[in-house]
Amino acid sequence: MKTDDLINALAADTATQKRPISQTIALAIATGCIVSAALLIGHLGVRTGLVETIMQSWHLVTKIAFTLALAIPAYFIVQRAARPDGEAQSLWPLLAIAPAMLLAAVGFEFMTGANDDVSNVIMSPNWSVCVIHIPLLSMAPLAAVLCALKQGAPANPTLAGAFGGLFSAALGSVLYATFCDADNPMFVAVWYTVAILAMTALGALLGSRILRW
Amino acid sequence: MCAAIGGDEAAYRKLLADLSRALRPIVRRGFAGVTAAQSEVEDVVQEVMLAIHLKRHTWDQTKPIGPWIMAISRNKMIDDLRRKGRRGEVPIDGMMDLLEAGGHEDAIHAHDVNRVLDGLTGKNREIVQAITLDGHSARDVAERLGMTEVAVRVSLHRSLKALAQVYQETKT
């Protein structure tokens, strides 16, 4: 095929314009978020007295702030990772905010010495509920994000998938945090991290398979 | 490109023609020392143009288009080098790790692409040929074949995606 022939074909194909990729991603994420929120409300239910507890407990505030501090930068990184020239790396440092915050909270918790038994806090019976439900609540956002990224042209498919996984896990954690009543930063640092890293790895694996273009 | 995204066929045609002229030396330079074959260079130029066309919604219209075009070109050049199983010097930053993933020997050539076009079924093939070789507009072809213009465009778009798929399949 001659290049001029290809130009004829491409020029005749102008009507099949897709909506801009940033809109596709935003729409997909909104959809995934609604599905997961419905799942949360229908299946788990928001914990009683959520608002009152936020007023009283810095643990709960830290937990929700941690998940939001992860989800928000991850969203903008996913937006950039979907484009060949997105240069997502310049936003990576923002992801350090959430772990730094959580580590500080864990340190503070140790210093105040309010916990007589650390292993009791970490191995609280909630841990299995947590590592199952965060991925569960992340599934719809992950599927939506990957479908949207498939429409894009990620410079690095594996990384784009990983950030898709990270974002959906962070979103799942935001939602789960409103149900789960294990608020101690040490519990969050262990089990939320495990769940989020697992979803990030899953995203990377799927991304390397399906996001090539 | 803005005009093209708005559906201005003439502006898009001019852009693509300019683009093909601009891409040729870039690809040739990228492949310096790897291949000198004109047909292989032309193949990659076509692959880049096809990717630019199918992914044009990933260009952020508030940003300059140059870096976006270069990013797509680099990506496709690396893919092509990897397919050939050779390590080559492509002017890239931070993307060399993509080369690590090992190579497949089954490089595809122009005749593979032509085989795709040959493999299209009756009407699809007629549409692609009328538009590519004879340079007819989608509306003319629709009238001649007694189809709606939309159906012609859908068929053409599917054929273009099938073409991109040929490149894609040798990659995984």
Side-chain angles (χ1 to χ4, degrees):
Chain A
M1 183 165 63
K2 290 208 187 77
T3 301
D4 287 345
D5 300 340
L6 181 69
I7 291 174
N8 284 334
L10 300 184
D13 192 36
T14 46
T16 55
Q17 176 63 32
K18 291 196 179 112
R19 69 160 58 90
I21 189 67
S22 55
Q23 287 177 20
T24 306
I25 291 176
L27 274 176
I29 285 171
T31 311
C33 193
I34 290 168
V35 171
S36 281
L39 194 64
L40 171 82
I41 291 164
H43 179 57
L44 297 172
V46 175
R47 68 195 263 180
T48 48
L50 178 69
V51 180
E52 292 83 355
T53 319
I54 287 181
M55 299 303 181
Q56 293 154 9
S57 155
W58 70 270
H59 280 174
L60 180 58
V61 174
T62 310
K63 183 170 78 166
I64 291 176
F66 164 70
T67 55
L68 283 175
L70 211 51
I72 293 166
Y75 172 79
F76 289 103
I77 291 177
V78 167
Q79 281 283 9
R80 290 201 182 191
R83 298 201 304 266
D85 60 340
E87 281 165 5
Q89 339 36 321
S90 56
L91 294 182
W92 289 0
L94 293 178
L95 287 177
I97 296 172
M101 204 159 71
L102 191 58
L103 274 178
V106 169
F108 184 74
E109 190 65 18
F110 265 116
M111 283 196 311
T112 54
N115 303 283
D116 33 335
D117 192 349
V118 173
S119 66
N120 258 356
V121 172
I122 291 175
M123 296 313 292
S124 100
N126 273 329
W127 75 268
S128 59
V129 182
C130 172
V131 288
I132 290 170
H133 283 89
I134 289 179
L136 200 65
L137 291 173
S138 314
M139 282 305 163
L142 180 64
V145 166
L146 289 178
C147 286
L149 284 172
K150 184 95 187 104
Q151 304 294 312
N156 185 329
T158 309
L159 272 181
F163 285 121
L166 177 67
F167 170 75
S168 48
L171 190 62
S173 304
V174 174
L175 294 170
Y176 181 73
T178 66
F179 157 77
C180 166
D181 54 10
D183 297 336
N184 193 293
M186 290 191 263
F187 179 89
V188 175
V190 175
W191 298 116
Y192 278 51
T193 307
V194 166
I196 289 169
L197 288 180
M199 287 305 291
T200 307
L202 178 65
L205 183 72
L206 291 173
S208 70
R209 300 278 171 86
I210 62 172
L211 293 182
R212 298 199 178 282
W213 49 280
Chain B
M1 191 54 139
C2 284
I5 284 171
D8 182 340
E9 206 175 306
Y12 195 40
R13 187 182 299 271
K14 181 176 180 312
L15 172 95
L16 289 170
D18 292 347
L19 199 56
S20 71
R21 274 191 295 276
L23 282 173
R24 225 162 268 139
I26 292 170
V27 173
R28 202 174 296 132
R29 214 177 314 131
F31 279 19
V34 180
T35 178
Q38 185 58 45
S39 66
E40 283 184 48
V41 169
E42 205 56 32
D43 240 20
V44 177
V45 169
Q46 289 184 8
E47 198 190 342
V48 171
M49 289 176 62
L50 193 54
I52 284 173
H53 174 73
L54 291 175
K55 296 293 181 187
R56 63 197 189 279
H57 57 281
T58 68
W59 172 48
D60 178 349
Q61 292 190 35
T62 62
K63 300 222 168 77
I65 199 166
W68 177 79
I69 287 173
M70 282 311 293
I72 289 192
S73 310
R74 275 199 300 264
N75 192 299
K76 289 295 161 192
M77 277 150 74
I78 291 170
D79 276 354
D80 198 71
L81 287 172
R82 190 168 47 184
R83 263 201 309 266
K84 293 189 172 82
R86 300 174 200 159
R87 292 295 196 90
E89 284 286 312
V90 183
I92 54 170
D93 4 69
M95 291 178 77
M96 285 307 282
D97 51 335
L98 282 177
L99 276 172
E100 300 297 327
H104 292 266
E105 302 304 318
D106 48 346
I108 57 165
H109 295 295
H111 61 259
D112 290 311
V113 173
N114 284 335
R115 212 185 306 138
V116 175
L117 294 182
D118 290 345
L120 295 173
T121 49
K123 212 153 228 183
N124 284 341
R125 186 185 169 158
E126 221 172 310
I127 290 168
V128 171
Q129 280 198 335
I131 289 174
T132 58
L133 298 178
D134 313 332
H136 289 304
S137 75
R139 190 173 302 136
D140 293 345
V141 175
E143 261 171 39
R144 229 182 41 197
L145 297 178
M147 300 167 71
T148 66
E149 192 182 334
V150 172
V152 169
R153 287 186 188 281
V154 168
S155 156
L156 175 67
H157 188 67
R158 288 210 182 118
S159 305
L160 290 175
K161 281 180 104 168
L163 190 57
Q165 195 64 33
V166 178
Y167 289 114
Q168 177 86 35
E169 269 162 11
T170 54
K171 248 185 255 174
T172 45

Short mmCIF file of all heavy atoms in Angstrom, two decimals, chain B residues 99-150:
data_model
loop_
_atom_site.label_atom_id
_atom_site.label_comp_id
_atom_site.label_asym_id
_atom_site.label_seq_id
_atom_site.Cartn_x
_atom_site.Cartn_y
_atom_site.Cartn_z
N LEU B 99 12.33 -1.68 25.42
CA LEU B 99 13.05 -2.57 24.53
C LEU B 99 13.42 -3.89 25.20
O LEU B 99 13.72 -4.87 24.52
CB LEU B 99 14.34 -1.89 24.06
CG LEU B 99 14.19 -0.95 22.87
CD1 LEU B 99 15.48 -0.21 22.65
CD2 LEU B 99 13.81 -1.75 21.64
N GLU B 100 13.40 -3.88 26.53
CA GLU B 100 13.90 -5.04 27.25
C GLU B 100 13.08 -6.30 27.00
O GLU B 100 13.56 -7.40 27.17
CB GLU B 100 13.90 -4.75 28.77
CG GLU B 100 14.74 -3.58 29.18
CD GLU B 100 16.20 -3.77 28.89
OE1 GLU B 100 16.69 -4.92 28.96
OE2 GLU B 100 16.87 -2.77 28.58
N ALA B 101 11.85 -6.11 26.63
CA ALA B 101 10.91 -7.24 26.63
C ALA B 101 11.18 -8.31 25.57
O ALA B 101 10.33 -9.14 25.30
CB ALA B 101 9.48 -6.73 26.49
N GLY B 102 12.33 -8.32 24.99
CA GLY B 102 12.67 -9.41 24.09
C GLY B 102 12.03 -9.23 22.72
O GLY B 102 11.09 -8.46 22.55
N GLY B 103 12.51 -9.94 21.76
CA GLY B 103 12.05 -9.68 20.40
C GLY B 103 11.41 -10.87 19.75
O GLY B 103 11.66 -12.02 20.10
N HIS B 104 10.55 -10.57 18.83
CA HIS B 104 9.98 -11.62 18.00
C HIS B 104 10.61 -11.49 16.63
O HIS B 104 10.81 -10.39 16.14
CB HIS B 104 8.48 -11.46 17.91
CG HIS B 104 7.80 -11.73 19.22
ND1 HIS B 104 7.31 -12.97 19.54
CD2 HIS B 104 7.60 -10.95 20.28
CE1 HIS B 104 6.80 -12.92 20.76
NE2 HIS B 104 6.96 -11.70 21.24
N GLU B 105 10.86 -12.62 16.06
CA GLU B 105 11.57 -12.58 14.78
C GLU B 105 10.63 -12.32 13.61
O GLU B 105 11.06 -11.94 12.54
CB GLU B 105 12.32 -13.90 14.55
CG GLU B 105 13.32 -14.23 15.64
CD GLU B 105 14.35 -13.12 15.86
OE1 GLU B 105 14.84 -12.56 14.86
OE2 GLU B 105 14.63 -12.79 17.03
N ASP B 106 9.34 -12.55 13.88
CA ASP B 106 8.42 -12.50 12.75
C ASP B 106 8.07 -11.06 12.37
O ASP B 106 6.98 -10.58 12.63
CB ASP B 106 7.15 -13.30 13.05
CG ASP B 106 6.59 -12.95 14.43
OD1 ASP B 106 7.30 -12.31 15.23
OD2 ASP B 106 5.44 -13.30 14.67
N ALA B 107 9.03 -10.39 11.83
CA ALA B 107 8.77 -9.03 11.36
C ALA B 107 7.73 -9.06 10.25
O ALA B 107 7.67 -10.00 9.47
CB ALA B 107 10.06 -8.42 10.86
N ILE B 108 6.92 -8.05 10.23
CA ILE B 108 5.94 -8.02 9.16
C ILE B 108 6.34 -7.01 8.11
O ILE B 108 7.03 -6.04 8.40
CB ILE B 108 4.52 -7.71 9.68
CG1 ILE B 108 4.53 -6.38 10.42
CG2 ILE B 108 4.02 -8.82 10.54
CD1 ILE B 108 3.14 -5.87 10.63
N HIS B 109 5.94 -7.27 6.94
CA HIS B 109 6.35 -6.41 5.84
C HIS B 109 5.14 -5.88 5.10
O HIS B 109 4.01 -6.27 5.39
CB HIS B 109 7.26 -7.18 4.90
CG HIS B 109 8.55 -7.57 5.54
ND1 HIS B 109 9.47 -6.64 5.96
CD2 HIS B 109 9.06 -8.78 5.88
CE1 HIS B 109 10.50 -7.27 6.51
NE2 HIS B 109 10.27 -8.57 6.48
N ALA B 110 5.44 -5.07 4.17
CA ALA B 110 4.36 -4.44 3.41
C ALA B 110 3.39 -5.46 2.85
O ALA B 110 2.19 -5.24 2.81
CB ALA B 110 4.95 -3.59 2.30
N HIS B 111 3.91 -6.61 2.43
CA HIS B 111 2.99 -7.57 1.80
C HIS B 111 2.00 -8.13 2.79
O HIS B 111 0.92 -8.56 2.43
CB HIS B 111 3.75 -8.66 1.04
CG HIS B 111 4.64 -9.49 1.92
ND1 HIS B 111 6.00 -9.29 1.98
CD2 HIS B 111 4.38 -10.48 2.79
CE1 HIS B 111 6.53 -10.16 2.83
NE2 HIS B 111 5.56 -10.87 3.35
N ASP B 112 2.36 -8.15 4.10
CA ASP B 112 1.39 -8.60 5.09
C ASP B 112 0.21 -7.65 5.15
O ASP B 112 -0.94 -8.06 5.27
CB ASP B 112 2.04 -8.69 6.48
CG ASP B 112 3.04 -9.82 6.54
OD1 ASP B 112 2.68 -10.93 6.13
OD2 ASP B 112 4.17 -9.56 6.97
N VAL B 113 0.55 -6.36 5.10
CA VAL B 113 -0.50 -5.36 5.13
C VAL B 113 -1.39 -5.50 3.91
O VAL B 113 -2.62 -5.46 3.99
CB VAL B 113 0.11 -3.95 5.20
CG1 VAL B 113 -0.98 -2.90 5.08
CG2 VAL B 113 0.86 -3.79 6.51
N ASN B 114 -0.75 -5.71 2.77
CA ASN B 114 -1.55 -5.89 1.56
C ASN B 114 -2.44 -7.12 1.66
O ASN B 114 -3.55 -7.14 1.15
CB ASN B 114 -0.64 -6.00 0.33
CG ASN B 114 -0.09 -4.64 -0.05
OD1 ASN B 114 -0.72 -3.62 0.25
ND2 ASN B 114 1.07 -4.61 -0.67
N ARG B 115 -1.92 -8.14 2.35
CA ARG B 115 -2.73 -9.34 2.50
C ARG B 115 -3.98 -9.04 3.32
O ARG B 115 -5.03 -9.60 3.07
CB ARG B 115 -1.91 -10.46 3.15
CG ARG B 115 -2.35 -11.83 2.65
CD ARG B 115 -1.63 -12.95 3.37
NE ARG B 115 -0.19 -12.80 3.30
CZ ARG B 115 0.60 -13.02 4.35
NH1 ARG B 115 0.08 -13.35 5.51
NH2 ARG B 115 1.89 -12.89 4.24
N VAL B 116 -3.86 -8.17 4.30
CA VAL B 116 -5.04 -7.79 5.08
C VAL B 116 -6.07 -7.15 4.16
O VAL B 116 -7.25 -7.48 4.19
CB VAL B 116 -4.70 -6.77 6.18
CG1 VAL B 116 -5.96 -6.31 6.88
CG2 VAL B 116 -3.74 -7.38 7.17
N LEU B 117 -5.59 -6.24 3.34
CA LEU B 117 -6.51 -5.56 2.43
C LEU B 117 -7.14 -6.59 1.49
O LEU B 117 -8.34 -6.55 1.22
CB LEU B 117 -5.78 -4.48 1.64
CG LEU B 117 -5.26 -3.32 2.51
CD1 LEU B 117 -4.59 -2.28 1.65
CD2 LEU B 117 -6.38 -2.70 3.32
N ASP B 118 -6.32 -7.53 1.01
CA ASP B 118 -6.85 -8.57 0.13
C ASP B 118 -7.86 -9.44 0.86
O ASP B 118 -8.81 -9.94 0.26
CB ASP B 118 -5.71 -9.46 -0.40
CG ASP B 118 -4.83 -8.69 -1.38
OD1 ASP B 118 -5.28 -7.63 -1.84
OD2 ASP B 118 -3.71 -9.16 -1.65
N GLY B 119 -7.62 -9.63 2.16
CA GLY B 119 -8.48 -10.51 2.93
C GLY B 119 -9.83 -9.91 3.28
O GLY B 119 -10.71 -10.60 3.76
N LEU B 120 -9.99 -8.63 3.04
CA LEU B 120 -11.28 -8.01 3.32
C LEU B 120 -12.35 -8.60 2.42
O LEU B 120 -12.09 -8.90 1.26
CB LEU B 120 -11.20 -6.50 3.10
CG LEU B 120 -10.28 -5.72 4.03
CD1 LEU B 120 -10.18 -4.28 3.56
CD2 LEU B 120 -10.78 -5.78 5.46
N THR B 121 -13.54 -8.73 2.96
CA THR B 121 -14.60 -9.33 2.16
C THR B 121 -15.15 -8.31 1.16
O THR B 121 -15.03 -7.10 1.37
CB THR B 121 -15.74 -9.83 3.06
OG1 THR B 121 -16.08 -8.77 3.95
CG2 THR B 121 -15.31 -11.06 3.83
N GLY B 122 -15.78 -8.86 0.13
CA GLY B 122 -16.28 -8.13 -1.04
C GLY B 122 -16.48 -6.64 -0.88
O GLY B 122 -15.70 -5.83 -1.40
N LYS B 123 -17.53 -6.26 -0.16
CA LYS B 123 -17.91 -4.86 -0.13
C LYS B 123 -16.89 -4.01 0.62
O LYS B 123 -16.54 -2.91 0.20
CB LYS B 123 -19.29 -4.70 0.50
CG LYS B 123 -20.06 -3.54 -0.10
CD LYS B 123 -21.55 -3.74 0.00
CE LYS B 123 -22.25 -3.45 -1.32
NZ LYS B 123 -23.70 -3.56 -1.23
N ASN B 124 -16.38 -4.55 1.75
CA ASN B 124 -15.38 -3.80 2.51
C ASN B 124 -14.18 -3.50 1.65
O ASN B 124 -13.62 -2.41 1.69
CB ASN B 124 -14.92 -4.63 3.72
CG ASN B 124 -15.94 -4.65 4.82
OD1 ASN B 124 -16.81 -3.78 4.86
ND2 ASN B 124 -15.86 -5.62 5.69
N ARG B 125 -13.79 -4.49 0.88
CA ARG B 125 -12.62 -4.33 0.04
C ARG B 125 -12.87 -3.28 -1.04
O ARG B 125 -12.02 -2.43 -1.31
CB ARG B 125 -12.32 -5.68 -0.60
CG ARG B 125 -11.05 -5.63 -1.36
CD ARG B 125 -10.82 -6.92 -2.07
NE ARG B 125 -9.70 -6.69 -2.97
CZ ARG B 125 -8.98 -7.65 -3.45
NH1 ARG B 125 -9.24 -8.89 -3.13
NH2 ARG B 125 -8.00 -7.37 -4.26
N GLU B 126 -14.05 -3.35 -1.61
CA GLU B 126 -14.41 -2.39 -2.64
C GLU B 126 -14.34 -0.97 -2.09
O GLU B 126 -13.85 -0.05 -2.74
CB GLU B 126 -15.84 -2.70 -3.11
CG GLU B 126 -16.01 -2.57 -4.61
CD GLU B 126 -17.39 -3.08 -5.03
OE1 GLU B 126 -17.76 -4.20 -4.63
OE2 GLU B 126 -18.07 -2.32 -5.72
N ILE B 127 -14.84 -0.82 -0.86
CA ILE B 127 -14.87 0.50 -0.22
C ILE B 127 -13.45 1.01 0.01
O ILE B 127 -13.11 2.14 -0.36
CB ILE B 127 -15.64 0.43 1.13
CG1 ILE B 127 -17.12 0.23 0.85
CG2 ILE B 127 -15.41 1.69 1.94
CD1 ILE B 127 -17.92 -0.15 2.06
N VAL B 128 -12.62 0.15 0.59
CA VAL B 128 -11.25 0.58 0.89
C VAL B 128 -10.52 0.93 -0.40
O VAL B 128 -9.83 1.95 -0.48
CB VAL B 128 -10.48 -0.52 1.67
CG1 VAL B 128 -9.01 -0.16 1.77
CG2 VAL B 128 -11.06 -0.68 3.06
N GLN B 129 -10.71 0.12 -1.42
CA GLN B 129 -10.00 0.39 -2.68
C GLN B 129 -10.48 1.68 -3.32
O GLN B 129 -9.68 2.48 -3.81
CB GLN B 129 -10.19 -0.78 -3.63
CG GLN B 129 -9.23 -1.90 -3.28
CD GLN B 129 -9.04 -2.88 -4.40
OE1 GLN B 129 -9.91 -3.01 -5.25
NE2 GLN B 129 -7.92 -3.56 -4.40
N ALA B 130 -11.80 1.86 -3.31
CA ALA B 130 -12.34 3.06 -3.95
C ALA B 130 -11.81 4.31 -3.26
O ALA B 130 -11.51 5.31 -3.92
CB ALA B 130 -13.86 3.04 -3.91
N ILE B 131 -11.69 4.22 -1.94
CA ILE B 131 -11.26 5.41 -1.20
C ILE B 131 -9.74 5.59 -1.26
O ILE B 131 -9.24 6.69 -1.46
CB ILE B 131 -11.76 5.34 0.26
CG1 ILE B 131 -13.27 5.56 0.26
CG2 ILE B 131 -11.07 6.40 1.12
CD1 ILE B 131 -13.93 5.39 1.59
N THR B 132 -9.00 4.47 -1.10
CA THR B 132 -7.55 4.62 -1.09
C THR B 132 -6.99 4.81 -2.49
O THR B 132 -6.35 5.82 -2.78
CB THR B 132 -6.87 3.40 -0.44
OG1 THR B 132 -7.24 2.23 -1.16
CG2 THR B 132 -7.26 3.27 1.00
N LEU B 133 -7.23 3.84 -3.35
CA LEU B 133 -6.57 3.88 -4.65
C LEU B 133 -7.16 4.95 -5.55
O LEU B 133 -6.44 5.67 -6.23
CB LEU B 133 -6.68 2.51 -5.34
CG LEU B 133 -5.99 1.40 -4.56
CD1 LEU B 133 -6.15 0.07 -5.26
CD2 LEU B 133 -4.50 1.71 -4.37
N ASP B 134 -8.51 5.07 -5.55
CA ASP B 134 -9.13 5.99 -6.50
C ASP B 134 -9.41 7.35 -5.87
O ASP B 134 -9.77 8.29 -6.56
CB ASP B 134 -10.45 5.38 -7.02
CG ASP B 134 -10.26 3.93 -7.43
OD1 ASP B 134 -9.11 3.61 -7.81
OD2 ASP B 134 -11.21 3.14 -7.36
N GLY B 135 -9.22 7.44 -4.54
CA GLY B 135 -9.37 8.74 -3.89
C GLY B 135 -10.79 9.30 -3.88
O GLY B 135 -10.99 10.50 -3.81
N HIS B 136 -11.78 8.40 -3.94
CA HIS B 136 -13.17 8.89 -3.88
C HIS B 136 -13.52 9.28 -2.44
O HIS B 136 -12.92 8.79 -1.49
CB HIS B 136 -14.14 7.79 -4.32
CG HIS B 136 -14.07 7.52 -5.79
ND1 HIS B 136 -14.24 8.50 -6.73
CD2 HIS B 136 -13.82 6.37 -6.47
CE1 HIS B 136 -14.12 7.97 -7.93
NE2 HIS B 136 -13.85 6.68 -7.81
N SER B 137 -14.53 10.11 -2.30
CA SER B 137 -15.00 10.44 -0.95
C SER B 137 -15.98 9.38 -0.50
O SER B 137 -16.53 8.63 -1.32
CB SER B 137 -15.68 11.81 -0.96
OG SER B 137 -16.95 11.69 -1.55
N ALA B 138 -16.19 9.33 0.80
CA ALA B 138 -17.11 8.33 1.35
C ALA B 138 -18.50 8.49 0.74
O ALA B 138 -19.21 7.51 0.48
CB ALA B 138 -17.16 8.44 2.87
N ARG B 139 -18.90 9.73 0.47
CA ARG B 139 -20.24 9.96 -0.07
C ARG B 139 -20.38 9.38 -1.47
O ARG B 139 -21.36 8.72 -1.80
CB ARG B 139 -20.57 11.45 -0.06
CG ARG B 139 -22.04 11.72 -0.38
CD ARG B 139 -22.41 13.18 -0.20
NE ARG B 139 -22.15 13.64 1.16
CZ ARG B 139 -21.58 14.81 1.42
NH1 ARG B 139 -21.20 15.61 0.45
NH2 ARG B 139 -21.38 15.18 2.67
N ASP B 140 -19.35 9.61 -2.30
CA ASP B 140 -19.38 9.07 -3.66
C ASP B 140 -19.50 7.55 -3.63
O ASP B 140 -20.30 6.96 -4.36
CB ASP B 140 -18.08 9.43 -4.41
CG ASP B 140 -17.99 10.92 -4.64
OD1 ASP B 140 -19.04 11.59 -4.48
OD2 ASP B 140 -16.89 11.41 -4.96
N VAL B 141 -18.67 6.96 -2.78
CA VAL B 141 -18.65 5.49 -2.71
C VAL B 141 -20.00 4.99 -2.25
O VAL B 141 -20.54 4.01 -2.78
CB VAL B 141 -17.54 5.01 -1.75
CG1 VAL B 141 -17.60 3.50 -1.57
CG2 VAL B 141 -16.18 5.44 -2.27
N ALA B 142 -20.59 5.66 -1.28
CA ALA B 142 -21.90 5.25 -0.76
C ALA B 142 -22.92 5.28 -1.88
O ALA B 142 -23.72 4.35 -2.05
CB ALA B 142 -22.31 6.19 0.38
N GLU B 143 -22.89 6.34 -2.67
CA GLU B 143 -23.85 6.45 -3.77
C GLU B 143 -23.67 5.33 -4.78
O GLU B 143 -24.61 4.70 -5.22
CB GLU B 143 -23.68 7.80 -4.48
CG GLU B 143 -24.70 8.84 -4.02
CD GLU B 143 -24.37 10.21 -4.57
OE1 GLU B 143 -23.94 10.29 -5.74
OE2 GLU B 143 -24.55 11.19 -3.82
N ARG B 144 -22.39 5.08 -5.11
CA ARG B 144 -22.11 4.08 -6.14
C ARG B 144 -22.52 2.69 -5.70
O ARG B 144 -22.99 1.89 -6.48
CB ARG B 144 -20.63 4.11 -6.49
CG ARG B 144 -20.42 4.16 -7.98
CD ARG B 144 -18.97 4.14 -8.35
NE ARG B 144 -18.22 3.20 -7.53
CZ ARG B 144 -16.91 3.22 -7.41
NH1 ARG B 144 -16.21 4.15 -8.04
NH2 ARG B 144 -16.29 2.34 -6.66
N LEU B 145 -22.29 2.39 -4.42
CA LEU B 145 -22.58 1.04 -3.93
C LEU B 145 -23.99 0.94 -3.37
O LEU B 145 -24.40 -0.11 -2.91
CB LEU B 145 -21.57 0.64 -2.86
CG LEU B 145 -20.12 0.53 -3.31
CD1 LEU B 145 -19.22 0.18 -2.15
CD2 LEU B 145 -19.97 -0.51 -4.41
N GLY B 146 -24.73 2.04 -3.40
CA GLY B 146 -26.09 2.02 -2.87
C GLY B 146 -26.13 1.78 -1.37
O GLY B 146 -27.02 1.10 -0.87
N MET B 147 -25.14 2.32 -0.66
CA MET B 147 -25.14 2.18 0.80
C MET B 147 -25.31 3.56 1.41
O MET B 147 -25.18 4.56 0.72
CB MET B 147 -23.80 1.61 1.29
CG MET B 147 -23.47 0.25 0.73
SD MET B 147 -21.74 -0.18 1.06
CE MET B 147 -21.78 -0.45 2.83
N THR B 148 -25.57 3.60 2.70
CA THR B 148 -25.56 4.90 3.35
C THR B 148 -24.12 5.33 3.59
O THR B 148 -23.22 4.50 3.68
CB THR B 148 -26.28 4.86 4.72
OG1 THR B 148 -25.52 4.03 5.60
CG2 THR B 148 -27.70 4.34 4.59
N GLU B 149 -23.93 6.63 3.70
CA GLU B 149 -22.58 7.15 3.92
C GLU B 149 -22.03 6.65 5.25
O GLU B 149 -20.84 6.33 5.38
CB GLU B 149 -22.62 8.68 3.90
CG GLU B 149 -21.25 9.30 3.84
CD GLU B 149 -21.29 10.82 3.87
OE1 GLU B 149 -22.32 11.39 3.44
OE2 GLU B 149 -20.30 11.42 4.31
N VAL B 150 -22.92 6.58 6.24
CA VAL B 150 -22.49 6.11 7.56
C VAL B 150 -21.95 4.69 7.47
O VAL B 150 -20.90 4.36 8.03
CB VAL B 150 -23.65 6.19 8.57
CG1 VAL B 150 -23.26 5.52 9.88
CG2 VAL B 150 -24.05 7.63 8.81
#
